Amino acid sequence: MKVDFFIEFGGNKADYNAVVARVKEIWKADGKLMKDLESVEIYYKPEENMCYYVINEDQKGSFEA
C-alpha cells in the first residue's frame, strides 16, 4: 500500500516522504551509516515552512520544507 501524507497550512506544504528522505540524506552526507540511525524526531513549523529534526536524540538541525 502506498500512502502519501501532506501537511498544508498558510500556503506552505510539506510532504512526509520528502521530509524523511531529506533527513536521511543529511545523515548520510555526514558520512554516517543508515544502520546507525536509531531514531528521528521531526517537527514541521508551517508558519515558517521549516523542518527541525533530532537524530538519535543528539544531532539537531533544520531545513526548509
PDB file of all heavy atoms in Angstrom, residues 2-24:
ATOM      1  N   LYS A   2       0.611   2.146  -0.905  1.00  0.00           N
ATOM      2  CA  LYS A   2       1.334   3.409  -0.968  1.00  0.00           C
ATOM      3  C   LYS A   2       0.509   4.473  -0.264  1.00  0.00           C
ATOM      4  O   LYS A   2      -0.690   4.594  -0.505  1.00  0.00           O
ATOM      5  CB  LYS A   2       1.579   3.808  -2.414  1.00  0.00           C
ATOM      6  CG  LYS A   2       2.337   5.099  -2.528  1.00  0.00           C
ATOM      7  CD  LYS A   2       2.555   5.509  -3.977  1.00  0.00           C
ATOM      8  CE  LYS A   2       3.306   6.819  -3.945  1.00  0.00           C
ATOM      9  NZ  LYS A   2       3.096   7.658  -5.043  1.00  0.00           N
ATOM     10  N   VAL A   3       1.165   5.239   0.604  1.00  0.00           N
ATOM     11  CA  VAL A   3       0.484   6.308   1.327  1.00  0.00           C
ATOM     12  C   VAL A   3       1.258   7.601   1.095  1.00  0.00           C
ATOM     13  O   VAL A   3       2.474   7.636   1.253  1.00  0.00           O
ATOM     14  CB  VAL A   3       0.423   6.010   2.837  1.00  0.00           C
ATOM     15  CG1 VAL A   3      -0.194   7.176   3.583  1.00  0.00           C
ATOM     16  CG2 VAL A   3      -0.336   4.730   3.115  1.00  0.00           C
ATOM     17  N   ASP A   4       0.574   8.651   0.710  1.00  0.00           N
ATOM     18  CA  ASP A   4       1.151   9.981   0.621  1.00  0.00           C
ATOM     19  C   ASP A   4       0.520  10.808   1.727  1.00  0.00           C
ATOM     20  O   ASP A   4      -0.702  10.822   1.888  1.00  0.00           O
ATOM     21  CB  ASP A   4       0.863  10.630  -0.733  1.00  0.00           C
ATOM     22  CG  ASP A   4       1.618   9.970  -1.866  1.00  0.00           C
ATOM     23  OD1 ASP A   4       2.795   9.608  -1.657  1.00  0.00           O
ATOM     24  OD2 ASP A   4       1.044   9.814  -2.950  1.00  0.00           O
ATOM     25  N   PHE A   5       1.359  11.486   2.489  1.00  0.00           N
ATOM     26  CA  PHE A   5       0.872  12.284   3.609  1.00  0.00           C
ATOM     27  C   PHE A   5       1.449  13.681   3.480  1.00  0.00           C
ATOM     28  O   PHE A   5       2.665  13.863   3.407  1.00  0.00           O
ATOM     29  CB  PHE A   5       1.315  11.645   4.933  1.00  0.00           C
ATOM     30  CG  PHE A   5       0.828  12.366   6.146  1.00  0.00           C
ATOM     31  CD1 PHE A   5      -0.458  12.164   6.608  1.00  0.00           C
ATOM     32  CD2 PHE A   5       1.649  13.243   6.836  1.00  0.00           C
ATOM     33  CE1 PHE A   5      -0.917  12.834   7.740  1.00  0.00           C
ATOM     34  CE2 PHE A   5       1.201  13.911   7.955  1.00  0.00           C
ATOM     35  CZ  PHE A   5      -0.084  13.708   8.412  1.00  0.00           C
ATOM     36  N   PHE A   6       0.588  14.689   3.419  1.00  0.00           N
ATOM     37  CA  PHE A   6       1.000  16.075   3.258  1.00  0.00           C
ATOM     38  C   PHE A   6       0.416  16.904   4.392  1.00  0.00           C
ATOM     39  O   PHE A   6      -0.665  16.611   4.887  1.00  0.00           O
ATOM     40  CB  PHE A   6       0.487  16.655   1.935  1.00  0.00           C
ATOM     41  CG  PHE A   6       0.942  15.900   0.728  1.00  0.00           C
ATOM     42  CD1 PHE A   6       0.142  14.929   0.167  1.00  0.00           C
ATOM     43  CD2 PHE A   6       2.171  16.168   0.160  1.00  0.00           C
ATOM     44  CE1 PHE A   6       0.548  14.225  -0.952  1.00  0.00           C
ATOM     45  CE2 PHE A   6       2.599  15.471  -0.959  1.00  0.00           C
ATOM     46  CZ  PHE A   6       1.783  14.498  -1.518  1.00  0.00           C
ATOM     47  N   ILE A   7       1.141  17.945   4.754  1.00  0.00           N
ATOM     48  CA  ILE A   7       0.635  18.927   5.700  1.00  0.00           C
ATOM     49  C   ILE A   7       0.623  20.263   4.976  1.00  0.00           C
ATOM     50  O   ILE A   7       1.638  20.656   4.397  1.00  0.00           O
ATOM     51  CB  ILE A   7       1.516  19.008   6.954  1.00  0.00           C
ATOM     52  CG1 ILE A   7       1.538  17.662   7.670  1.00  0.00           C
ATOM     53  CG2 ILE A   7       1.021  20.111   7.886  1.00  0.00           C
ATOM     54  CD1 ILE A   7       2.542  17.578   8.791  1.00  0.00           C
ATOM     55  N   GLU A   8      -0.515  20.937   4.994  1.00  0.00           N
ATOM     56  CA  GLU A   8      -0.636  22.247   4.357  1.00  0.00           C
ATOM     57  C   GLU A   8      -1.171  23.242   5.372  1.00  0.00           C
ATOM     58  O   GLU A   8      -2.055  22.921   6.163  1.00  0.00           O
ATOM     59  CB  GLU A   8      -1.608  22.190   3.183  1.00  0.00           C
ATOM     60  CG  GLU A   8      -1.048  21.540   1.950  1.00  0.00           C
ATOM     61  CD  GLU A   8      -1.977  21.712   0.763  1.00  0.00           C
ATOM     62  OE1 GLU A   8      -1.919  22.765   0.125  1.00  0.00           O
ATOM     63  OE2 GLU A   8      -2.749  20.778   0.510  1.00  0.00           O
ATOM     64  N   PHE A   9      -0.594  24.434   5.315  1.00  0.00           N
ATOM     65  CA  PHE A   9      -1.064  25.492   6.199  1.00  0.00           C
ATOM     66  C   PHE A   9      -0.548  26.819   5.666  1.00  0.00           C
ATOM     67  O   PHE A   9       0.645  26.948   5.375  1.00  0.00           O
ATOM     68  CB  PHE A   9      -0.554  25.271   7.627  1.00  0.00           C
ATOM     69  CG  PHE A   9      -0.968  26.345   8.588  1.00  0.00           C
ATOM     70  CD1 PHE A   9      -2.229  26.320   9.153  1.00  0.00           C
ATOM     71  CD2 PHE A   9      -0.104  27.359   8.925  1.00  0.00           C
ATOM     72  CE1 PHE A   9      -2.622  27.301  10.045  1.00  0.00           C
ATOM     73  CE2 PHE A   9      -0.481  28.349   9.813  1.00  0.00           C
ATOM     74  CZ  PHE A   9      -1.748  28.321  10.379  1.00  0.00           C
ATOM     75  N   GLY A  10      -1.406  27.782   5.525  1.00  0.00           N
ATOM     76  CA  GLY A  10      -0.998  29.115   5.123  1.00  0.00           C
ATOM     77  C   GLY A  10      -0.221  29.175   3.817  1.00  0.00           C
ATOM     78  O   GLY A  10       0.688  29.976   3.681  1.00  0.00           O
ATOM     79  N   GLY A  11      -0.545  28.308   2.901  1.00  0.00           N
ATOM     80  CA  GLY A  11       0.142  28.303   1.615  1.00  0.00           C
ATOM     81  C   GLY A  11       1.416  27.483   1.585  1.00  0.00           C
ATOM     82  O   GLY A  11       2.041  27.353   0.544  1.00  0.00           O
ATOM     83  N   ASN A  12       1.850  26.943   2.722  1.00  0.00           N
ATOM     84  CA  ASN A  12       3.028  26.080   2.784  1.00  0.00           C
ATOM     85  C   ASN A  12       2.594  24.627   2.822  1.00  0.00           C
ATOM     86  O   ASN A  12       1.563  24.287   3.389  1.00  0.00           O
ATOM     87  CB  ASN A  12       3.882  26.404   4.010  1.00  0.00           C
ATOM     88  CG  ASN A  12       4.505  27.778   3.920  1.00  0.00           C
ATOM     89  OD1 ASN A  12       4.878  28.223   2.845  1.00  0.00           O
ATOM     90  ND2 ASN A  12       4.598  28.454   5.042  1.00  0.00           N
ATOM     91  N   LYS A  13       3.403  23.764   2.226  1.00  0.00           N
ATOM     92  CA  LYS A  13       3.059  22.351   2.140  1.00  0.00           C
ATOM     93  C   LYS A  13       4.309  21.517   2.393  1.00  0.00           C
ATOM     94  O   LYS A  13       5.379  21.820   1.866  1.00  0.00           O
ATOM     95  CB  LYS A  13       2.515  22.044   0.745  1.00  0.00           C
ATOM     96  CG  LYS A  13       2.154  20.598   0.513  1.00  0.00           C
ATOM     97  CD  LYS A  13       1.599  20.447  -0.904  1.00  0.00           C
ATOM     98  CE  LYS A  13       1.284  19.011  -1.227  1.00  0.00           C
ATOM     99  NZ  LYS A  13       0.766  18.878  -2.593  1.00  0.00           N
ATOM    100  N   ALA A  14       4.174  20.477   3.202  1.00  0.00           N
ATOM    101  CA  ALA A  14       5.270  19.556   3.471  1.00  0.00           C
ATOM    102  C   ALA A  14       4.822  18.143   3.127  1.00  0.00           C
ATOM    103  O   ALA A  14       3.727  17.726   3.488  1.00  0.00           O
ATOM    104  CB  ALA A  14       5.699  19.630   4.933  1.00  0.00           C
ATOM    105  N   ASP A  15       5.672  17.428   2.434  1.00  0.00           N
ATOM    106  CA  ASP A  15       5.435  16.042   2.048  1.00  0.00           C
ATOM    107  C   ASP A  15       6.211  15.147   3.009  1.00  0.00           C
ATOM    108  O   ASP A  15       7.442  15.233   3.092  1.00  0.00           O
ATOM    109  CB  ASP A  15       5.913  15.846   0.611  1.00  0.00           C
ATOM    110  CG  ASP A  15       5.869  14.414   0.125  1.00  0.00           C
ATOM    111  OD1 ASP A  15       5.683  13.482   0.936  1.00  0.00           O
ATOM    112  OD2 ASP A  15       6.042  14.218  -1.089  1.00  0.00           O
ATOM    113  N   TYR A  16       5.518  14.305   3.746  1.00  0.00           N
ATOM    114  CA  TYR A  16       6.135  13.426   4.735  1.00  0.00           C
ATOM    115  C   TYR A  16       7.314  12.659   4.151  1.00  0.00           C
ATOM    116  O   TYR A  16       8.408  12.649   4.720  1.00  0.00           O
ATOM    117  CB  TYR A  16       5.077  12.458   5.285  1.00  0.00           C
ATOM    118  CG  TYR A  16       5.654  11.334   6.101  1.00  0.00           C
ATOM    119  CD1 TYR A  16       5.953  11.524   7.441  1.00  0.00           C
ATOM    120  CD2 TYR A  16       5.919  10.086   5.532  1.00  0.00           C
ATOM    121  CE1 TYR A  16       6.496  10.505   8.195  1.00  0.00           C
ATOM    122  CE2 TYR A  16       6.460   9.069   6.277  1.00  0.00           C
ATOM    123  CZ  TYR A  16       6.749   9.271   7.610  1.00  0.00           C
ATOM    124  OH  TYR A  16       7.296   8.262   8.351  1.00  0.00           O
ATOM    125  N   ASN A  17       7.106  12.007   3.021  1.00  0.00           N
ATOM    126  CA  ASN A  17       8.158  11.172   2.432  1.00  0.00           C
ATOM    127  C   ASN A  17       9.383  11.992   2.042  1.00  0.00           C
ATOM    128  O   ASN A  17      10.517  11.567   2.244  1.00  0.00           O
ATOM    129  CB  ASN A  17       7.625  10.400   1.223  1.00  0.00           C
ATOM    130  CG  ASN A  17       6.580   9.385   1.623  1.00  0.00           C
ATOM    131  OD1 ASN A  17       6.707   8.698   2.622  1.00  0.00           O
ATOM    132  ND2 ASN A  17       5.508   9.306   0.852  1.00  0.00           N
ATOM    133  N   ALA A  18       9.169  13.190   1.506  1.00  0.00           N
ATOM    134  CA  ALA A  18      10.277  14.049   1.110  1.00  0.00           C
ATOM    135  C   ALA A  18      11.052  14.548   2.331  1.00  0.00           C
ATOM    136  O   ALA A  18      12.285  14.628   2.307  1.00  0.00           O
ATOM    137  CB  ALA A  18       9.765  15.222   0.290  1.00  0.00           C
ATOM    138  N   VAL A  19      10.331  14.860   3.398  1.00  0.00           N
ATOM    139  CA  VAL A  19      10.976  15.343   4.620  1.00  0.00           C
ATOM    140  C   VAL A  19      11.832  14.236   5.239  1.00  0.00           C
ATOM    141  O   VAL A  19      12.987  14.459   5.609  1.00  0.00           O
ATOM    142  CB  VAL A  19       9.932  15.884   5.620  1.00  0.00           C
ATOM    143  CG1 VAL A  19      10.545  16.148   6.977  1.00  0.00           C
ATOM    144  CG2 VAL A  19       9.273  17.147   5.073  1.00  0.00           C
ATOM    145  N   VAL A  20      11.300  13.038   5.342  1.00  0.00           N
ATOM    146  CA  VAL A  20      12.056  11.911   5.905  1.00  0.00           C
ATOM    147  C   VAL A  20      13.273  11.603   5.026  1.00  0.00           C
ATOM    148  O   VAL A  20      14.376  11.380   5.539  1.00  0.00           O
ATOM    149  CB  VAL A  20      11.153  10.668   6.073  1.00  0.00           C
ATOM    150  CG1 VAL A  20      11.975   9.444   6.454  1.00  0.00           C
ATOM    151  CG2 VAL A  20      10.076  10.933   7.117  1.00  0.00           C
ATOM    152  N   ALA A  21      13.098  11.629   3.717  1.00  0.00           N
ATOM    153  CA  ALA A  21      14.218  11.377   2.801  1.00  0.00           C
ATOM    154  C   ALA A  21      15.309  12.428   2.989  1.00  0.00           C
ATOM    155  O   ALA A  21      16.503  12.101   2.955  1.00  0.00           O
ATOM    156  CB  ALA A  21      13.725  11.370   1.362  1.00  0.00           C
ATOM    157  N   ARG A  22      14.920  13.675   3.206  1.00  0.00           N
ATOM    158  CA  ARG A  22      15.905  14.751   3.410  1.00  0.00           C
ATOM    159  C   ARG A  22      16.716  14.523   4.672  1.00  0.00           C
ATOM    160  O   ARG A  22      17.933  14.715   4.690  1.00  0.00           O
ATOM    161  CB  ARG A  22      15.184  16.099   3.461  1.00  0.00           C
ATOM    162  CG  ARG A  22      16.080  17.268   3.694  1.00  0.00           C
ATOM    163  CD  ARG A  22      16.877  17.613   2.438  1.00  0.00           C
ATOM    164  NE  ARG A  22      17.647  18.815   2.691  1.00  0.00           N
ATOM    165  CZ  ARG A  22      18.977  18.846   2.752  1.00  0.00           C
ATOM    166  NH1 ARG A  22      19.680  17.773   2.523  1.00  0.00           N
ATOM    167  NH2 ARG A  22      19.599  19.966   3.018  1.00  0.00           N
ATOM    168  N   VAL A  23      16.073  14.101   5.751  1.00  0.00           N
ATOM    169  CA  VAL A  23      16.783  13.819   6.995  1.00  0.00           C
ATOM    170  C   VAL A  23      17.778  12.676   6.772  1.00  0.00           C
ATOM    171  O   VAL A  23      18.927  12.739   7.235  1.00  0.00           O
ATOM    172  CB  VAL A  23      15.807  13.497   8.143  1.00  0.00           C
ATOM    173  CG1 VAL A  23      16.540  13.008   9.379  1.00  0.00           C
ATOM    174  CG2 VAL A  23      14.967  14.721   8.491  1.00  0.00           C
ATOM    175  N   LYS A  24      17.375  11.653   6.049  1.00  0.00           N
ATOM    176  CA  LYS A  24      18.280  10.537   5.755  1.00  0.00           C
ATOM    177  C   LYS A  24      19.463  10.998   4.909  1.00  0.00           C
ATOM    178  O   LYS A  24      20.596  10.566   5.131  1.00  0.00           O
ATOM    179  CB  LYS A  24      17.524   9.413   5.045  1.00  0.00           C
ATOM    180  CG  LYS A  24      16.559   8.676   5.945  1.00  0.00           C
ATOM    181  CD  LYS A  24      15.817   7.601   5.172  1.00  0.00           C
ATOM    182  CE  LYS A  24      14.840   6.847   6.039  1.00  0.00           C
ATOM    183  NZ  LYS A  24      14.110   5.816   5.273  1.00  0.00           N
TER     184      LYS A  24
END
